[in-house]
Amino acid sequence: MSMSKIVRAAADIIFVFILTFGFYIVAHGHLTPGGGFQGGAVIATGFVLLIAAYGSRALLDRFGKEWFRSSEALGLLVFIGTAFVALFLGATFFANWLANGGLIFGEAVAFGPNPGDLNTGGVIPIMNIAVGIEVLGALSLIVLYMLSGTEEGA
Amino acid sequence: MIAMIAHTLVLVGLVIAAALVFRFRDLLSAAIAFGVFSFLLSLEFYILQAPDVAIAEAGIGAGLTTAIYMVAIKGTERTEAEE
Amino acid sequence: MKQYIKAAVLLVLLAAFLVPTLSLDFGNPAETSLDDYFIRYGQEQTGGNNIVADVLMDFRGFDTLGEATVLLTAVLAVGLVFRRLHKEEEYEYE
């Protein structure tokens, strides 16, 4: 089941921009409004657009449910793993063990409104990316499961 | 002044869209009206300076929920049953 | 008689919801010590400029963990409801 050629061509073009916008929201979650959940939802909307234009069969041939399932599991594992690393370093669970440390994402920021730097935030960008991966997998999976339940033989 | 008029228009549109969701017998039209409602709600969140919630509402409310309702309507029936 | 009681109950409920709403002082909360703390120390303690992200991912990480768990449970429930039952996969009693 796929829509007309106009819809498919428009979906091809818009999908790229939706994906770019979603990854921008996820990557800049510690600087601008947004974050992992919002960015993941935007990316999942892009996948749902592809499903609406081409049908779920075409998307499943390319990616498969395993892809989304493992992306969800990977996001959750990275999220909880980052929280557990703090325990091994002697801090509390969910402590920000990378902030102001000089390592990756470890630059200090000045107080007050400033343009910001991507290389700040400690574990916040890592957790944003983890939550983004998890949400994009989960929300796409919900739509895919519902479609496979309602389509006969699909 | 312009911002005040825009804010009032968004609020009136919210009430109209919500009433349409309640009124429509055709569930497909109701789902579309709900998508319009979610979009106006995300505009309202943006006007009230909550861009975080606005992005989440635009992505989930206007995009994914409408798609999920479409899938559900496709799997069941399109019109609401008469009482 | 009955509809008058209904109308009276509705009016009382409407007043009960509207009066506190209209008398609220928006943008001027009574207690701001926690907000002031996050705004003052959020940037230097976590290094993130977006205070909302600081609170969500660092100060209240457990909240985000619970949200992720809710999403996982939702996916599991949807997969459980919409799975296709093959003949050989059906549950068999001993």
Side-chain angles (χ1 to χ4, degrees):
Chain A
M1 175 201 81
S2 69
M3 307 267 290
S4 69
K5 196 167 187 178
I6 297 172
V7 176
R8 276 182 283 152
D12 277 345
I13 297 169
I14 297 173
F15 177 66
V16 181
F17 290 104
I18 291 179
L19 220 59
T20 313
F21 182 55
F23 279 118
Y24 163 78
I25 291 177
V26 173
H28 290 230
H30 57 297
L31 299 178
T32 55
F37 190 78
Q38 286 90 346
V42 169
I43 298 171
T45 311
F47 280 117
V48 172
L49 174 71
L50 276 195
I51 292 171
Y54 285 94
S56 61
R57 198 98 309 270
L59 189 76
L60 286 180
D61 286 344
R62 189 70 53 86
F63 287 124
K65 270 181 197 154
E66 290 306 317
W67 198 86
F68 293 107
R69 221 173 283 161
S70 44
S71 92
E72 189 197 359
L74 179 77
L76 270 177
L77 280 179
V78 170
F79 184 75
I80 200 92
T82 316
F84 261 116
V85 170
L87 270 187
F88 291 118
L89 292 179
T92 51
F93 197 57
F94 273 113
N96 199 337
W97 48 279
L98 272 174
N100 305 326
L103 283 171
I104 186 168
F105 297 129
E107 302 255 319
V109 283
F111 176 69
N114 52 357
D117 183 1
L118 260 189
N119 196 16
T120 58
V123 297
I124 294 175
I126 298 174
M127 291 201 171
N128 264 329
I129 292 169
V131 172
I133 293 173
E134 192 240 338
V135 170
L136 105 86
L139 292 179
S140 309
L141 261 186
I142 287 179
V143 176
L144 279 175
Y145 272 135
M146 286 192 70
L147 264 176
S148 71
T150 54
E151 277 173 6
E152 280 126 44
Chain B
M1 193 61 205
I2 292 285
M4 190 79 190
I5 292 171
H7 197 171
T8 313
L9 275 181
V10 167
L11 285 176
V12 171
L14 267 176
V15 175
I16 291 175
L20 282 182
V21 174
F22 184 68
R23 274 283 162 200
F24 275 135
R25 284 273 162 215
D26 186 0
L27 289 178
L28 204 57
S29 312
I32 301 272
F34 186 73
V36 173
F37 175 80
S38 289
F39 175 69
L40 287 174
L41 192 61
S42 95
L43 274 184
E44 173 68 20
F45 280 134
Y46 182 73
I47 290 172
L48 293 179
Q49 304 187 2
D52 263 304
V53 195
I55 296 173
E57 179 69 33
I60 298 205
L64 282 168
T65 314
T66 313
I68 289 176
Y69 277 136
M70 295 287 167
V71 174
I73 289 167
K74 188 166 159 264
T76 53
E77 282 182 356
R78 186 167 164 177
T79 49
E80 200 172 333
E82 296 289 330
E83 288 163 20
Chain C
M1 189 59 205
K2 212 169 182 181
Q3 59 252 44
Y4 288 120
I5 298 176
K6 267 187 196 170
V9 168
L10 267 180
L11 276 179
V12 168
L13 274 181
L14 196 67
F17 281 117
L18 269 185
V19 168
T21 309
L22 292 179
S23 62
L24 268 183
D25 193 7
F26 278 109
N28 194 8
E31 188 63 44
T32 62
S33 54
L34 211 53
D35 312 358
D36 292 339
Y37 179 83
F38 286 141
I39 291 170
R40 176 67 188 82
Y41 295 107
Q43 275 177 313
E44 68 182 63
Q45 283 187 2
T46 68
N49 269 339
N50 185 2
I51 307 277
V52 179
D54 292 351
V55 173
L56 274 183
M57 300 286 163
D58 192 331
F59 289 116
R60 295 190 182 157
F62 279 103
D63 185 79
T64 311
L65 183 64
E67 175 208 296
T69 315
V70 165
L71 209 55
L72 181 72
T73 315
V75 171
L76 284 180
V78 171
L80 187 70
V81 170
F82 285 95
R83 85 197 140 153
R84 287 193 312 281
L85 280 179
H86 299 293
K87 277 279 188 321
E88 62 273 14
E89 271 185 21
E90 272 183 66
Y91 192 78
E92 287 181 13
Y93 295 98
E94 296 287 331

